[in-house]
């Protein structure tokens, strides 16, 4: 019975204790909830303030902001800043400060080492890695971004919580497997990183690289400059900065930057390549070829410089050796942009094979539909053959360039030729005036302007302009030709004949040929016309204008064999003239009927 009572008392005690504990928990939870609702996002901290005289205490409540913590918060700020700077020297210094026994490294420190290693390998491949590395998991935003970049993919899932998570996805820019599709997200990523650290060498260099890849050298220069001014003899930065300056036309500054590169290796391939490009842009083709030869001596399989040597030889008009190099290159690669452009140039200028040049440049248009260089060469070929390339005439091809660069003088010139060839005289007139507004007054444009004005019925304007040009260039024979052409359309017949006859004796054989040709239009009898045209050809047997006029005369007389005799000579002199070829083909069919 006593044992039973004891058991009841113990049970009652436990029940009472449990009730008290539950009440205390409810009160405590209620108090916490109340405090939480009153803080409005602030933490209330209670501490004792000691009184020096009475050793008494009182409760005070102060407000503290919640600190923003990142994955690398526990790592020394100077070490993290060095990695964020990303230059070779700052990376080495940061890693030396972080060095310790392997067993002492925290996981976040190992990841920071892995990040630094990848930055060095990707951005500065010429630099040596002087620290130990450790295997780390890719199950975090930083290594995940690096793994994606190595596969040519931009990782947009890093969260951009700090500088490194913002910048690391942009390493994809320098990976050979990446595509232009990554340019836009990379630009946003780098901009965000620069907002967090505008002095980062890594971020500035990557932004410069982005604009270089987009062929916007002028935009890349400020970023390269900032990276250059913050680094010490970094090969990649120096060469990228020098190249951007060179491509923007500032050869003097580019030369100075290259001169600052310190190396004891005279056969440094990267340096030799930079010097080769620099010499080429200065039109010092002999020096350029010498540098290229030194590159190929060390690396005979360098396709880029094999093609570059062909380009130099073309500029030196050494087409035989250039074609040999192009053939050698084509055995391994026949669809690169530079190759197709050079092949088309050789086919047009040396082989005079307009059909092959057309086929080559049409392939280039198909493969590189956004290339201004391709459309420029295509416009040139179209203007030479007086026919379409990939369905577009010279003016239509030039328009694609002028939409982006309305002051491109070469594109304006091809556009002008295209409008003339298609008889669109008003548009040709407008283009001429644009060219004049830009201060361009080449003889070709002068000749075209006079022709355009005459075809628009503006004979007096043509004559006034030609007269002004002759006064400014009295020794230029082509200007004299232009003046005679304009004068013969507005002047009195007898006065024009008198002027031509007075000019004949003192003129060169080439001008004499033109004067006889122009005089033939003023003669009143067929016998006199034919005599002048024959005299023209005696002075210059290759005067295609006189030959073509003889073709027209005999064609109209239905003497087709004589007509073809002269037309074939026109085709032989101007093998790129598609219209003359077409007339000859039609005449051949007519003779065979």
């Amino acid at each position: 019975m006593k044992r039973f009572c004891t058991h009841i008392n113990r049970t009652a005690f436990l029940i009472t204790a449990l009730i008290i504990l539950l009440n205390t928990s409810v009160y405590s939870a209620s108090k916490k909830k109340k405090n939480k609702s009153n803080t409005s996002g602030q933490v209330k901290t209670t501490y004792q303030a000691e009184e020096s005289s009475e050793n008494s205490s009182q409760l005070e409540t102060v407000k503290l902001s919640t600190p923003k913590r990142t994955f690398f918060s526990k790592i020394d700020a100077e070490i993290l800043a060095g990695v964020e700077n990303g230059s070779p020297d700052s990376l080495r210094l940061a890693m030396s400060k972080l060095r310790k026994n392997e067993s002492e490294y925290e996981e976040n420190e190992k990841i920071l080492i892995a990040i630094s290693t990848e930055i060095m390998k990707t951005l500065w491949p010429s630099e040596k890695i002087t620290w130990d590395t450790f295997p780390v998991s890719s199950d975090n935003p930083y290594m995940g971004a690096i793994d994606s970049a190595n596969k040519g993919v931009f990782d947009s899932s890093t969260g951009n919580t700090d500088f490194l998570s913002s910048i690391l996805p942009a390493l994809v820019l320098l990976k050979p497997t990446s595509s232009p599709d990554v340019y836009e997200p990379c630009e946003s990523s780098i901009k965000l990183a620069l907002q967090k650290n505008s002095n980062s060498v890594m971020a500035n260099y990557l932004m410069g690289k982005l604009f270089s890849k987009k062929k916007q050298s002028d935009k890349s220069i400020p970023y390269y400059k900032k990276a250059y001014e913050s680094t010490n003899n970094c090969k990649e930065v120096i060469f990228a900065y020098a190249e951007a300056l060179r491509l923007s036309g500032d050869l003097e500054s580019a030369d100075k930057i290259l001169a600052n590169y310190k190396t004891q290796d005279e056969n440094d391939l990267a340096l030799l390549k930079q010097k080769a490009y620099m010499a080429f842009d200065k039109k010092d083709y002999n020096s350029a070829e010498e540098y290229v030869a030194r590159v190929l001596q060390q690396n005979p399989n360098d396709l880029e410089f094999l093609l570059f040597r062909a380009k130099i030889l073309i500029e030196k008009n050494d087409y035989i050796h250039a074609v040999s190099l192009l053939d050698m290159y084509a055995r391994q690669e026949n669809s690169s942009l530079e190759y197709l452009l050079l092949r088309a140039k050789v086919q047009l200028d040396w082989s005079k094979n307009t059909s092959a040049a057309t086929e080559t440049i049409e392939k280039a248009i198909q493969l590189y539909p956004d290339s201004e260089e391709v459309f420029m060469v295509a416009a040139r070929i179209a203007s030479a053959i007086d026919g379409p390339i990939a369905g577009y005439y010279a003016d239509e091809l030039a328009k694609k360039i002028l939409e982006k660069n309305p002051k491109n003088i070469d594109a304006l010139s091809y556009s002008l030729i295209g409008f003339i060839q298609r008889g669109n005289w008003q548009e040709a007139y407008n283009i001429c005036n644009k060219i004049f507004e830009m201060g361009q007054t080449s003889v070709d444009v002068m000749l075209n302007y006079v022709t355009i004005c005459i075809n628009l019925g503006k004979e007096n304007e043509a004559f006034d302009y030609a007269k002004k040009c002759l006064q400014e260039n009295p020794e230029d024979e082509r200007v004299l030709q232009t003046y005679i052409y304009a004068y013969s359309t507005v002047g009195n017949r007898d006065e024009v004949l008198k002027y031509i006859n007075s000019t004949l004796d003192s003129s060169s054989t080439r001008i004499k040929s033109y004067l006889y040709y122009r005089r033939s239009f003023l003669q009143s009898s067929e016998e006199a016309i034919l005599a002048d045209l024959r005299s023209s050809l005696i002075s210059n047997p290759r005067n295609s204008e006189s030959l073509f006029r003889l073709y027209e005369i005999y064609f109209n007389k239905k003497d087709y064999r004589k007509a073809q005799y002269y037309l074939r000579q026109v085709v032989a002199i101007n093998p790129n003239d598609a219209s003359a070829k077409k007339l000859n083909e039609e005449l051949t069919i007519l003779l065979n009927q």
Side-chain angles (χ1 to χ4, degrees):
M1 182 68 179
K2 185 177 181 180
R3 288 180 62 189
F4 177 75
C5 290
T6 303
H7 175 72
I8 291 175
N9 291 337
R10 186 178 298 167
T11 302
F13 173 81
L14 289 174
I15 291 172
T16 303
L18 181 60
I19 292 171
I20 293 171
L21 180 61
L22 287 172
N23 288 338
T24 303
S25 299
V26 171
Y27 172 78
S28 176
S30 175
K31 184 177 180 180
K32 284 182 181 179
K33 185 175 181 181
K34 185 177 180 181
N35 285 343
K36 184 177 180 181
S37 65
N38 291 334
T39 56
S40 302
Q42 302 296 329
V43 177
K44 286 189 176 181
T45 304
T46 304
Y47 68 95
Q48 273 193 325
E50 293 184 355
E51 297 285 339
S52 57
S53 57
E54 300 176 321
N55 195 25
S56 61
S57 65
Q58 65 180 24
L59 293 177
E60 288 188 7
T61 302
V62 296
K63 296 180 180 179
L64 299 176
S65 61
T66 305
K68 185 178 180 180
R69 303 185 63 79
T70 67
F71 186 70
F72 300 112
S73 293
K74 292 184 178 180
I75 296 177
D76 185 281
E78 287 189 11
I79 294 173
L80 191 59
V83 176
E84 290 183 359
N85 178 278
S87 73
D89 286 342
S90 68
L91 287 172
R92 277 190 285 264
L93 182 59
M95 292 299 97
S96 68
K97 289 182 177 180
L98 189 58
R99 187 176 287 119
K100 59 179 73 171
N101 292 328
E102 182 176 350
S103 59
E104 297 175 352
Y105 284 110
E106 298 291 339
E107 182 64 18
N108 59 352
E109 292 175 326
K110 289 182 179 180
I111 289 174
L112 190 62
I113 292 171
I115 290 170
S116 302
T117 303
E118 191 63 32
I119 292 171
M120 190 73 98
K121 284 164 53 180
T122 305
L123 270 65
W124 327 121
S126 67
E127 300 284 342
K128 290 183 179 179
I129 294 172
T130 58
W131 56 86
D132 296 329
T133 59
F134 310 99
V136 293
S137 170
S138 60
D139 190 19
N140 61 79
Y142 307 97
M143 298 311 299
I146 289 171
D147 284 350
S148 295
N150 287 333
K151 296 172 184 174
V153 177
F154 180 90
D155 188 345
S156 57
S157 65
T158 61
N160 299 318
T161 55
D162 56 11
F163 176 87
L164 289 174
S165 61
S166 298
I167 196 72
L168 289 177
L171 293 180
V172 70
L173 271 177
L174 305 184
K175 302 296 180 178
T177 53
S178 65
S179 71
D181 294 339
V182 303
Y183 292 169
E184 187 176 345
C186 280
E187 185 171 355
S188 300
S189 172
I190 300 167
K191 281 181 178 178
L192 185 59
L194 283 169
Q195 288 173 7
K196 296 173 180 177
N197 186 349
S198 61
N199 295 317
S200 168
V201 170
M202 170 171 50
N204 280 287
Y205 177 73
L206 279 172
M207 187 63 92
K209 273 291 183 183
L210 172 67
F211 286 121
S212 292
K213 283 180 173 288
K214 293 169 73 173
K215 299 189 183 302
Q216 298 174 344
S217 297
D218 290 344
K219 289 185 177 181
S220 72
I221 288 173
Y223 296 100
Y224 284 142
K225 182 181 180 182
K226 193 160 188 177
Y228 172 76
E229 290 173 346
S230 303
T231 53
N232 176 30
N233 202 44
C234 179
K235 183 176 183 176
E236 285 78 11
V237 172
I238 289 173
F239 289 172
Y241 185 25
E243 182 179 43
L245 290 167
R246 176 178 64 81
L247 292 174
S248 67
D250 191 351
L251 299 181
E252 184 179 352
S253 296
D255 251 342
K256 289 179 180 177
I257 297 300
L258 280 182
N260 289 337
Y261 177 58
K262 302 176 183 66
T263 180
Q264 295 179 345
D265 183 6
E266 294 183 356
N267 291 316
D268 185 316
L269 278 175
L271 182 60
L272 289 174
K273 288 184 176 185
Q274 287 289 326
K275 287 183 175 180
Y277 287 126
M278 192 74 70
F280 183 86
D281 286 354
K282 290 179 178 178
K283 301 187 185 304
D284 183 359
Y285 300 125
N286 289 331
S287 295
E289 189 175 6
E290 180 184 338
Y291 288 126
V292 170
R294 289 173 64 184
V295 170
L296 292 173
Q297 188 176 19
Q298 294 183 64
N299 187 4
N301 296 320
D302 190 324
L303 288 180
E304 177 191 354
F305 264 63
L306 185 69
L307 197 61
F308 188 32
R309 189 173 193 177
K311 186 176 183 178
I312 294 168
L313 291 172
I314 289 170
E315 291 298 329
K316 295 173 71 174
N317 295 320
D318 187 353
Y319 288 104
I320 293 176
H321 291 99
V323 168
S324 177
L325 290 172
L326 288 175
D327 291 342
M328 192 183 304
Y329 180 90
R331 293 188 193 108
Q332 300 181 65
E333 170 60 72
N334 64 1
S335 59
S336 73
L337 174 60
E338 189 74 16
Y339 166 77
L340 292 171
L341 292 174
L342 292 176
R343 179 65 81 180
K345 182 177 175 64
V346 168
Q347 289 166 334
L348 181 66
D349 295 337
W350 185 58
S351 306
K352 308 297 181 185
N353 189 339
T354 54
S355 297
T358 298
E359 184 179 343
T360 299
I361 206 63
E362 285 182 340
K363 179 180 178 181
I365 290 173
Q366 185 178 10
L367 292 173
Y368 306 99
D370 298 321
S371 171
E372 286 190 24
E373 291 176 285
V374 168
F375 280 102
M376 188 70 78
V377 174
R380 183 186 165 213
I381 295 173
S383 66
I385 66 174
D386 188 11
I389 299 289
Y392 299 101
Y393 287 87
D395 54 290
E396 295 171 324
L397 291 162
K399 184 180 178 181
K400 294 180 180 295
I401 302 166
L402 294 170
E403 286 172 351
K404 297 179 181 178
N405 185 2
K407 292 187 178 181
N408 188 310
I409 189 63
D410 290 331
L412 285 168
S413 299
Y414 295 136
S415 180
L416 174 62
I417 294 170
F419 285 130
I420 291 173
Q421 289 172 338
R422 296 208 284 160
N424 193 336
W425 302 109
Q426 186 58 54
E427 285 296 334
Y429 182 79
N430 296 338
I431 291 288
C432 259
N433 283 316
K434 282 183 182 179
I435 293 173
F436 291 149
E437 288 171 7
M438 293 170 62
Q440 302 291 330
T441 54
S442 69
V443 174
D444 285 333
V445 177
M446 292 178 189
L447 285 166
N448 286 327
Y449 188 67
V450 170
T451 302
I452 292 162
C453 286
I454 290 170
N455 279 277
L456 284 173
K458 301 175 184 285
E459 289 89 354
N460 290 326
E461 183 178 340
F463 175 69
D464 290 342
Y465 180 75
K467 185 177 181 181
K468 176 189 172 187
C469 290
L470 184 63
Q471 290 170 347
E472 294 174 353
N473 306 276
E475 303 300 322
D476 194 312
E477 292 185 340
R478 294 185 69 194
V479 174
L480 176 60
Q481 285 182 221
T482 306
Y483 173 75
I484 292 168
Y485 175 41
Y487 188 22
S488 65
T489 62
V490 298
N492 177 275
R493 175 181 175 276
D494 293 334
E495 290 178 352
V496 175
L497 277 171
K498 183 178 179 182
Y499 179 80
I500 289 175
N501 291 333
S502 66
T503 309
L504 269 169
D505 292 337
S506 60
S507 298
S508 66
T509 55
R510 193 173 72 84
I511 289 297
K512 276 184 181 179
S513 179
Y514 182 78
L515 290 171
Y516 282 124
Y517 164 72
R518 186 49 58 188
R519 194 174 75 172
S520 72
F521 288 95
L522 302 173
Q523 301 290 12
S524 54
S525 69
E526 184 181 285
E527 184 179 352
I529 292 171
L530 291 173
D532 274 346
L533 291 173
R534 292 188 185 105
S535 295
S536 172
L537 291 174
I538 290 171
S539 297
N540 178 15
R542 294 178 61 80
N543 187 327
S544 59
E545 291 176 306
S546 294
L547 289 166
F548 191 78
R549 181 149 162 72
L550 282 166
Y551 150 76
E552 289 181 316
I553 290 170
Y554 285 110
F555 185 86
N556 291 331
K557 293 173 68 175
K558 297 187 178 180
D559 189 346
Y560 298 134
R561 295 209 173 274
K562 270 193 177 180
Q564 190 172 55
Y565 169 77
Y566 291 110
L567 184 57
R568 280 177 173 172
Q569 292 183 66
V570 174
V571 173
I573 293 168
N574 302 308
N576 294 333
D577 190 335
S579 59
K581 283 183 178 180
K582 185 178 180 181
L583 288 172
N584 187 49
E585 290 168 0
E586 292 173 352
L587 191 52
T588 300
I589 294 170
L590 188 63
L591 283 167
N592 291 332
Q593 287 178 349

